[in-house]
Amino acid sequence: MAEQLNEYQGKATMEKITSLAKRRGFVFQSSEIYGGQNGAWDYGPLGIELKNRIAGAWWKEMTQLNDDIVGLDAAILMHPRTWEASGHVENFTDPLVDCKKCKARFRADMIPEENLAAKKCPECGGELTDTRKFNLMFKTHIGPAEDTASIIYLRPETAQGIYVNYKNIIQSNRMKIPFGIAQIGKAFRNEIVTKNFIFRTCEFEQMEMQFFVKPGSDDEWFNEWRKRRWAYYEKLGVKMDHLRWHQHDKDELAHYAKDAYDVQYLFPMGWRELEGVHNRTNYDLNRHTQFSGKDMQYIDQDNNNERYIPFIIETSAGLTRNVLMILCDAYDEEQVADKGNDDDWRTVLRFHPNLAPVTVAVLPLMKKDGLAELAQDIRRELKEDFATDYDQAGAIGRRYRRQDEAGTPFCVTVDYQSKEDGTVTLRFRDSMEQIRVPKTELTARLRQEIKDYKRIK
Ligand code: GAP
């Protein structure tokens, strides 16, 4: 057995996760038939379910479980003045260098300092150009004339859609400070370096919540939101020893931030940012006041109509980056036999049942003798309550492996005994344990199993 093992056996690598994601229909390269589009990915049948569930968990946490947070879905295209006010036109840049010889392009802050100082390409040793600033916003034109008056940007963060609507929401929904606005949506950045699969892409999705607070209470709320975001990942069932905080030092702070902490996750390529918690002060609302000429002050009717521009605590998580995190976190290879062949190992995605794209798969032991029909009937009943799959192709062991690889936490197998006594086999993904359950009790049993779920590995 030992000679079959390579150093990567049993471990998650980006190559394995990328390949599994494609093989099982989680994520495909965009426009693959044309050689692929850099920085863009397509979510397949399992991927879109996983992404929707992650978004749903975040949305529930923010809006359903917090009385003082409401939702918003603002347009991607915003008035171009928005981005002047926000500081993105001026400041949202990366430092860029090119190699004159091999034409490779680098982010200057991502190559060794000695190469930068000697202007030497880290790949071919050729001469590097001077560092120049490169704005990350995608710029296009709206309307038939491609002149400067028609310039429009694809939003690089969803946050600004919240700021420009904050007064609308106070008025329409009678919100009182402190309160928050949550939004999930696409954002676009012309990233110089897009690698590590869906980690850093040009088109991605964010889950952002902006919490409006009275100036002076911002430090307290900042700490509170750090606590809440940590507790959220714990509740999601993520491996907590794979999470840590990273505080931004002065050089790292965005132009709007007074203080910022990243939640970092230990991805196969190392510790990387997953989400940011930022104290954005009243920078954005002040700037929108200045650029729009509209009064962005909050009027505190419970406090002698005191007026102030609120401070904003932002929690900003990448949805697509969370998909990658959940895939990496769930990925496991487990040795289940010792016969010296490939079947000794299984690949299993240990998703929390609330996140798994398919919750329960129904499998007839045989296609014949009425077992397929019985299994279809059971699936029809389960469909009302759970995301289901049905598979009758191939040996039952192989079908279990296929479901393990898709991260399906429960399989229901229908066999000859089912026809006689109305019981089915319920198989658990993580332990591979199998028990008999009356089919009439399946829905209740599955609900309870999901509620009580604890990851064992
Ligand atoms: N509104 C604040 C903001 O956008 P950010 O730190 O630039 O802050 C927040 O981005 C989160 O968005 C990151 O923690 C990351 O999860 C995600 N994100 C940012 N750029 C990304 C990219 N190019 N590809 C995928 N996700 C990205």
Side-chain angles (χ1 to χ4, degrees):
M1 189 61 230
E3 62 276 12
Q4 284 198 347
L5 290 174
N6 64 46
E7 62 176 311
Y8 297 112
Q9 191 108 42
K11 285 189 197 152
T13 64
M14 285 307 287
E15 290 73 25
K16 288 183 191 174
I17 287 165
T18 311
S19 136
L20 171 74
K22 179 176 180 193
R23 194 170 68 248
R24 297 312 311 266
F26 282 94
V27 182
F28 307 117
Q29 199 183 12
S30 162
S31 323
E32 196 181 0
I33 60 166
Y34 291 103
Q37 175 55 50
N38 207 12
W41 297 86
D42 299 337
Y43 288 75
L46 292 185
I48 177 63
E49 294 295 340
L50 179 62
K51 180 152 73 73
N52 282 346
R53 296 211 206 309
I54 294 171
W58 184 90
W59 193 255
K60 177 178 175 187
E61 182 72 20
M62 286 299 177
T63 63
Q64 191 174 323
L65 300 181
N66 277 296
D67 299 341
D68 51 4
I69 300 182
V70 289
L72 175 75
D73 184 19
I76 290 173
L77 299 178
M78 299 183 70
H79 193 288
R81 289 280 280 167
T82 309
W83 305 109
E84 289 171 36
S86 69
H88 283 80
V89 170
E90 197 184 337
N91 297 315
F92 199 52
T93 56
D94 272 346
L96 174 76
V97 287
D98 286 307
C99 173
K100 291 182 184 170
K101 193 170 159 204
C102 71
K103 309 290 177 214
R105 179 158 281 179
F106 307 96
R107 251 176 72 171
D109 55 346
M110 282 187 172
I111 62 173
E113 270 176 28
E114 54 274 21
N115 286 72
L116 202 57
K119 287 192 153 187
K120 194 171 163 195
C121 173
E123 275 175 18
C124 77
E127 192 191 345
L128 292 176
T129 60
D130 288 337
T131 306
R132 59 187 192 283
K133 281 185 173 177
F134 168 76
N135 196 294
L136 293 175
M137 280 197 294
F138 280 103
K139 203 194 263 188
T140 183
H141 295 271
I142 194 157
E146 291 197 6
D147 54 25
T148 46
S150 70
I151 285 176
I152 197 151
Y153 300 96
L154 297 187
R155 68 180 177 197
E157 62 169 7
T158 62
Q160 298 300 327
I162 294 183
Y163 305 147
V164 300
N165 275 296
Y166 121 96
K167 283 228 121 172
N168 284 339
I169 288 179
I170 287 180
Q171 276 147 22
S172 61
N173 295 67
R174 304 181 6 179
M175 304 306 288
K176 290 191 169 166
I177 277 180
F179 76 93
I181 303 175
Q183 175 167 227
I184 299 176
K186 291 239 173 184
F188 302 83
R189 295 181 190 177
N190 201 353
E191 298 282 0
I192 301 164
V193 180
T194 55
K195 58 178 184 187
N196 291 320
F197 191 31
I198 53 173
F199 178 79
R200 187 183 307 285
T201 51
C202 294
E203 176 175 346
F204 56 100
E205 280 174 76
Q206 290 186 313
M207 307 184 285
E208 296 200 304
M209 194 283 301
Q210 315 295 324
F211 204 72
F212 299 81
V213 305
K214 190 169 181 178
S217 66
D218 51 307
D219 290 337
E220 205 179 309
W221 276 110
F222 182 68
N223 290 334
E224 174 61 24
W225 274 106
R226 280 186 55 209
K227 263 192 241 151
R228 290 191 193 179
R229 294 309 297 150
W230 191 259
Y232 167 78
Y233 286 111
E234 211 160 14
K235 194 160 120 189
L236 212 57
V238 174
K239 291 176 189 155
M240 293 311 282
D241 59 351
H242 279 49
L243 286 180
R244 71 178 187 192
W245 285 109
H246 163 75
Q247 184 176 19
H248 285 209
D249 60 32
K250 289 254 169 324
D251 298 342
E252 273 177 283
L253 280 179
H255 58 273
Y256 49 70
K258 168 178 161 188
D259 199 0
Y261 276 81
D262 291 338
V263 178
Q264 291 186 335
Y265 182 81
L266 184 55
F267 288 95
M269 65 278 188
W271 289 99
R272 295 282 191 287
E273 175 184 346
L274 177 66
E275 159 163 1
V277 181
H278 312 131
N279 182 343
R280 290 182 77 132
T281 68
N282 52 9
Y283 173 87
D284 298 274
L285 293 182
N286 269 333
R287 297 272 294 186
H288 286 305
T289 305
Q290 204 182 320
F291 279 71
S292 70
K294 298 284 183 311
D295 183 4
M296 302 298 265
Q297 289 184 102
Y298 174 74
I299 304 167
D300 188 350
Q301 290 168 342
D302 298 335
N303 210 359
N304 297 324
N305 289 335
E306 187 189 354
R307 287 165 181 262
Y308 57 82
I309 303 265
F311 270 44
I312 292 168
I313 307 303
E314 169 183 67
T315 72
S316 175
L319 168 54
T320 40
R321 198 171 284 182
N322 261 263
V323 171
L324 180 61
M325 181 276 282
I326 291 292
L327 277 171
C328 295
D329 202 69
Y331 188 93
D332 193 19
E333 287 172 14
E334 184 179 33
Q335 187 169 12
V336 288
D338 197 4
K339 295 190 190 124
N341 59 40
D342 283 350
D343 284 351
D344 286 352
W345 287 79
R346 68 168 183 150
T347 300
V348 50
L349 292 177
R350 300 186 189 275
F351 293 134
H352 189 288
N354 286 334
L355 299 183
V358 175
T359 318
V360 51
V362 183
L363 322 169
L365 189 64
M366 302 280 176
K367 279 182 251 181
K368 55 184 186 180
D369 301 328
L371 295 186
E373 290 75 12
L374 183 54
Q376 293 276 21
D377 285 346
I378 291 173
R379 185 200 187 183
R380 241 186 312 281
E381 274 183 33
L382 292 175
K383 253 184 197 180
E384 289 292 335
D385 297 276
F386 309 102
T388 62
D389 189 14
Y390 175 83
D391 185 4
Q392 60 176 26
I396 190 73
R398 291 226 174 267
R399 282 185 269 164
Y400 284 147
R401 294 290 170 89
R402 275 205 290 270
Q403 295 298 334
D404 289 345
E405 222 186 28
T408 307
F410 310 106
C411 286
V412 166
T413 308
V414 177
D415 56 15
Y416 289 100
Q417 191 182 333
S418 312
K419 280 175 56 171
E420 280 160 25
D421 66 5
T423 64
V424 292
T425 299
L426 177 61
R427 184 230 188 219
F428 298 87
R429 175 198 66 201
D430 291 353
S431 62
M432 296 192 292
E433 191 196 342
Q434 302 186 7
I435 58 171
R436 298 261 352 151
V437 179
K439 68 179 167 62
T440 49
E441 290 172 19
L442 259 181
T443 299
R445 178 68 191 247
L446 286 169
R447 278 216 187 102
Q448 197 58 44
E449 291 293 340
I450 294 169
K451 205 161 168 230
D452 297 344
Y453 179 80
K454 290 245 158 21
R455 184 166 167 165
I456 53 172
K457 203 173 157 228

